[in-house]
């Protein structure tokens, strides 16, 4: 294993440089982290970003080092970074071990699905890039917006919070849904609703019987293309979905993934938008 790590590190360091004009800059791994760097006025210090970093639009012009959980060390190191900021869930572990051995500062940013978690994320990024004062102001602003949006959501819900089923994928008619402990579960709660399924953690496929038992009032999904996309007509035509209150009312809410689940600077806005979509006001 040690020999493999050494070989990978040597390969990474020998990889051809990309974005030479940004050499020595920051590599940001995690959509929310990239958003925070830009929000702190440090977007021009980024050398590269990962595939989940799609906002703001300027981030998309940066070299892409790969998907958050499937990074290669050579991809990250090829831009010659002076600092790597990475979500705590970045991986795989082998890549993270190589990056830690590369003698380049690597800061893992916590990812907790709450207003306090977003503030901690902003604070950690600010400290890592030398913008602690700006980060303190941004953290306070973001926390305030989330707190206000959550209060408004609870007022909308009143004593009858809606039951919401978050569907990660419906490819081939197979429903992959969120249980507890996920970003989706936390967003549903912040928006004044209840997760329709809570008997497991993470994401799992649901049987038709489980969907019927969940009886969601609304379905929440990410806007996405490709094989994982499910047009509303096809989704509500699935027998198990069609028999639920959500299917009968065609109550399907779709939001851009990073905006909905990123838990970054725009989270308060996302909470407000989701709540309004669920409760109609």
């Amino acid at each position: 294993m040690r020999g493999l790590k050494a070989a990978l590190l040597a390969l990474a360091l020998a990889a051809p440089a990309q974005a030479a004009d940004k050499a020595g800059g920051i590599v940001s791994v995690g959509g929310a982290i990239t958003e925070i760097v830009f929000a702190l006025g440090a977007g021009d210090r980024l050398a590269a970003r990962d595939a989940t970093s799609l906002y703001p639009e300027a981030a998309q012009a940066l070299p892409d080092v790969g998907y958050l959980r499937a990074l290669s060390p050579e991809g990250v190191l090829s831009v010659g970074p002076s600092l790597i900021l990475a979500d705590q869930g970045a991986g795989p572990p082998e890549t993270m071990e190589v990056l830690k051995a590369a003698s380049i500062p690597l800061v893992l940013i916590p990812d907790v699905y709450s207003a306090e978690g977003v503030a901690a994320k902003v604070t950690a990024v600010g400290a890592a890039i030398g913008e602690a004062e700006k980060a303190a102001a941004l953290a306070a602003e973001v926390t305030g917006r989330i707190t206000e949006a959550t209060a408004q959501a609870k007022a909308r819900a009143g004593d009858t919070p809606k039951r919401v089923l978050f569907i990660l994928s419906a490819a081939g008619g197979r429903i992959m849904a969120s249980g507890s402990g996920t970003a989706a579960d936390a967003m549903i709660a912040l928006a004044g609703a209840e997760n329709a399924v809570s008997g497991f953690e993470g994401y799992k496929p649901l049987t038709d019987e489980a969907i019927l038992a969940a009886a969601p009032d609304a379905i929440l999904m990410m806007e996405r293309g490709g094989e994982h996309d499910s047009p509303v007509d096809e989704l509500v035509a699935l027998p198990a979905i069609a028999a639920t209150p959500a299917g009968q009312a065609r109550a399907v809410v779709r939001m851009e993934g990073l905006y909905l689940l990123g838990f970054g600077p725009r989270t308060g806005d996302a909470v407000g938008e989701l709540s309004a979509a669920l409760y109609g006001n």
Side-chain angles (χ1 to χ4, degrees), residues 23-196:
I26 302 167
V27 171
S28 177
V29 179
I33 295 172
T34 302
E35 281 195 46
I36 292 167
V37 172
F38 273 95
L40 294 176
D44 60 346
R45 294 166 55 188
L46 289 171
R49 48 89 186 181
D50 79 307
T52 70
S53 298
L54 301 175
Y55 184 90
E57 188 174 348
Q60 298 181 38
L62 294 167
D64 182 346
V65 299
Y67 176 61
L68 170 71
R69 303 187 194 282
L71 300 170
S72 68
E74 53 267 51
V76 175
L77 295 173
S78 66
V79 298
S82 59
L83 173 65
I84 301 168
L85 300 177
D87 183 283
Q88 65 181 14
E94 294 81 4
T95 290
M96 302 311 293
E97 289 181 19
V98 172
L99 295 179
K100 290 174 183 177
S103 299
I104 296 169
L106 169 63
V107 179
L108 297 180
I109 305 300
D111 192 16
V112 178
Y113 308 134
S114 65
E116 296 78 12
V118 177
K121 192 182 301 185
V122 170
T123 300
V125 171
I129 66 173
E131 297 289 356
E133 187 173 341
K134 288 183 180 179
L138 179 61
E141 177 186 347
V142 171
T143 301
R145 289 207 304 266
I146 296 173
T147 300
E148 181 181 1
T150 301
Q152 292 174 346
K154 289 182 178 179
R156 287 188 179 110
D159 296 327
T160 55
K162 292 196 173 183
R163 295 173 56 79
V164 178
L165 176 66
F166 178 83
I167 296 179
L168 180 66
S169 171
R174 188 184 188 201
I175 302 299
M176 180 72 69
S178 167
S180 61
T182 68
D185 180 60
M187 280 297 295
I188 289 169
L190 288 173
E194 295 179 350
N195 192 339

